[in-house]
Structure formats: C-alpha cells, structure tokens
Amino acid sequence: MQTIQANNYPIYFNEKGYEALNLHLTQNKYSNIFIIVDSNTNEFCLSKLLPYIETELNVEIVEFEAGEENKNIETCVEIWKVLTELGGDRKSLVINLGGGVVTDLGGFVASTFKRGVDFIHIPTTLLSMVDASVGGKNGVDLGNLKNQIGVINVPNMVLIDTQYLETVPQNEMRSGLAEMLKHGLIYDKKYWEEFLDISTINFDDLDELIYRSVEIKNEIVKQDPTEKNIRKALNFGHTLGHAIEGYF
Ligand code: GLY
C-alpha cells in the first residue's frame, strides 16, 4: 500500500512501516528509545512489535494502566518522571504503541518532555488507526472534560499495521467502523455506500477500507489542521459522546 503523506510526516502501512522505522533509526542519532504502552498493549501487542525493531540503542518500556480514566496529567507526571530516571534527554525517541488513549497521552508526553522530543505512533485499535493517530492532536482529560489539555504537534511518522487488530475486542472494532462510516458520510459518497449494508463488507478488504479512511481523515486535516472549519465535522458524534460520558 502506498505511503500517505500528511502535513510533514508519512503514514506507512504494514511491513513498509517497519522498514521505514528502522531506516529512521539509522538516520537519526537518538540516545535511547522509550516505548509507551498501556497494560493491554504491553500484554498483547508489544511482543509483535519488538522483533521488527533493529537497533543497538537501549529500548525501555514504559507502561501505564489501560483506560480512559488514566488519560490525565497525573499519568503524564509519572511517565515524565520515569523518562527522567531512565536517562531521557532531548535526543530520546518515544514510540506510542496503543489505542487512542496511548497515542493521545504519549504524544502529549513526548511533545512536552524537554520541550519536545521526536515521537512515532503505532496505533493498535481500528479507531486509533483511522482517527486518533492521524492529525497531530495530543492531549489528556481534565476531570470529566475530554482532551481539555493538549497540543497540536505532529509525529515523525505513523505506522499502521493491521495485524494488531487481531488483539482487539469486537466492541472496539465497532467504534472504529462507526468512525469510518462517518468519514464516508462527510467526505465520500461512494465510500459511504460501501458501508450501507454492513453485511456485504468483505473483511479481507479491511486494509483497503482503512487505507481510504486514513486518506479521508488526512485530506480533511490537511485542509484545516487547527480545526477552524471542515475538521470540526470530524467531532460529530465525539462531542455528544464525550458530553454524555462526562455527565455520567
Ligand atoms: N478526532 C477528531 C480530529 O482529529 O479532528
């Protein structure tokens, strides 16, 4: 699958992503690598990623407890402390391996540690592949207020490998599919029609559908990176969902 060029960073798919990641490691003089995971991706995804990484550098795994309730500044403080204790510096590389909570929080941690270090997203859920990892939004919740604290800052690359979806429960897949449907609804009638009868979707073609969804998300973000116009349409559904979640 062709690499998608976003604003200042590439989005790679499957095997090509690991080749690009290893090339990136040889071309940059990083001091060490921190892989941020949550308790789920540490258990189910990390062992899939590690064999691909070719490096002499010290690789440290930094885990936090999975769950939206941990997407807060307290978790960031813990991670900033761990990075400091383990010798993190301005030439450290952060790799965020996980769903939207990990990529949002890990991107924020990396964007603020030492005034910003390089980071790479490797999304592991369908929703984070087609939405959270693309577009440079990073942040955490403040109490019940979703994504109240954050920055827009792009990663060095995004690596989408659909093998991680094997680790994802069905209900997580559904929220990703709903997001893809929304991409069709707001941007591409033909793509939307493919989703109208969900029973006819060929899941062998899921890679192609994910690819189109990432293209749509990226096209929208490129037109409106700081969410002044069309990007607001992507919040349709999230805003209501976040309000309901916040209330309860
Ligand atoms: N998740 C909505 C956006 O990235 O704009």
Side-chain angles (χ1 to χ4, degrees):
M1 264 184 261
Q2 288 293 312
T3 300
I4 294 177
Q5 191 56 43
N7 281 336
N8 294 328
Y9 65 98
I11 303 168
Y12 296 105
F13 290 83
N14 301 332
E15 292 286 327
K16 214 185 253 183
Y18 299 109
E19 287 163 25
L21 170 61
N22 286 325
L23 185 64
H24 183 78
L25 294 179
T26 61
Q27 289 173 339
N28 289 272
K29 292 194 168 61
Y30 289 120
S31 51
N32 43 27
I33 301 173
F34 294 98
I35 304 181
I36 299 183
V37 286
D38 67 16
S39 41
N40 289 332
T41 55
N42 197 4
E43 187 175 349
F44 300 111
C45 304
L46 188 64
S47 59
K48 290 185 189 285
L49 168 64
L50 287 179
Y52 286 107
I53 299 181
E54 294 164 6
T55 183
E56 301 287 305
L57 295 173
N58 190 33
V59 179
E60 299 281 358
I61 311 304
V62 183
E63 184 201 294
F64 66 95
E65 194 56 37
E68 180 75 32
E69 65 277 19
N70 298 310
K71 187 182 162 185
N72 54 39
I73 205 74
E74 287 79 19
T75 305
C76 296
V77 172
E78 288 308 312
I79 298 177
W80 287 319
K81 282 184 189 163
V82 171
L83 299 188
T84 305
E85 281 159 16
L86 295 176
D89 61 24
R90 299 204 60 223
K91 286 305 294 174
S92 297
L93 173 70
V94 169
I95 298 177
N96 300 308
L97 178 70
V101 171
V102 174
T103 57
D104 281 12
L105 182 144
F108 180 67
V109 163
S111 298
T112 46
F113 183 70
K114 296 274 181 186
R115 299 195 184 92
V117 297
D118 284 1
F119 64 100
I120 289 172
H121 286 328
I122 306 184
T124 58
T125 63
L126 187 55
L127 187 56
S128 63
M129 289 176 189
V130 299
D131 184 36
S133 68
V134 178
K137 282 186 179 175
N138 311 285
V140 293
D141 303 336
L142 181 68
N144 292 334
L145 302 172
K146 301 284 174 198
N147 302 318
Q148 183 77 349
I149 309 297
V151 292
I152 291 188
N153 184 31
V154 296
N156 289 72
M157 69 173 74
V158 175
L159 195 168
I160 295 177
D161 180 353
T162 51
Q163 70 160 327
Y164 295 111
L165 295 177
E166 292 160 17
T167 67
V168 167
Q170 277 302 312
N171 57 339
E172 297 256 6
M173 288 294 280
R174 272 197 286 275
S175 52
L177 287 168
E179 191 68 21
M180 292 162 79
L181 190 76
K182 189 170 82 185
H183 288 162
L185 182 63
I186 60 183
Y187 206 79
D188 182 343
K189 185 164 178 280
K190 191 165 157 284
Y191 185 67
W192 156 257
E193 281 164 0
E194 282 182 54
F195 276 99
L196 276 184
D197 186 356
I198 201 93
S199 63
T200 64
I201 288 182
N202 177 357
F203 280 86
D204 292 340
D205 294 339
L206 190 60
D207 277 25
E208 299 293 333
L209 294 170
I210 292 171
Y211 187 88
R212 179 63 191 137
S213 212
V214 173
E215 270 185 330
I216 294 172
K217 167 93 198 246
N218 185 47
E219 282 167 29
I220 292 173
V221 172
K222 272 184 154 173
Q223 287 172 38
D224 181 21
T226 53
E227 201 179 284
K228 303 248 177 348
N229 302 297
I230 188 175
R231 188 167 180 177
K232 285 186 187 159
L234 291 172
N235 293 330
F236 163 56
H238 291 204
T239 314
L240 183 63
H242 288 168
I244 293 169
E245 265 180 58
Y247 179 78
F248 286 102

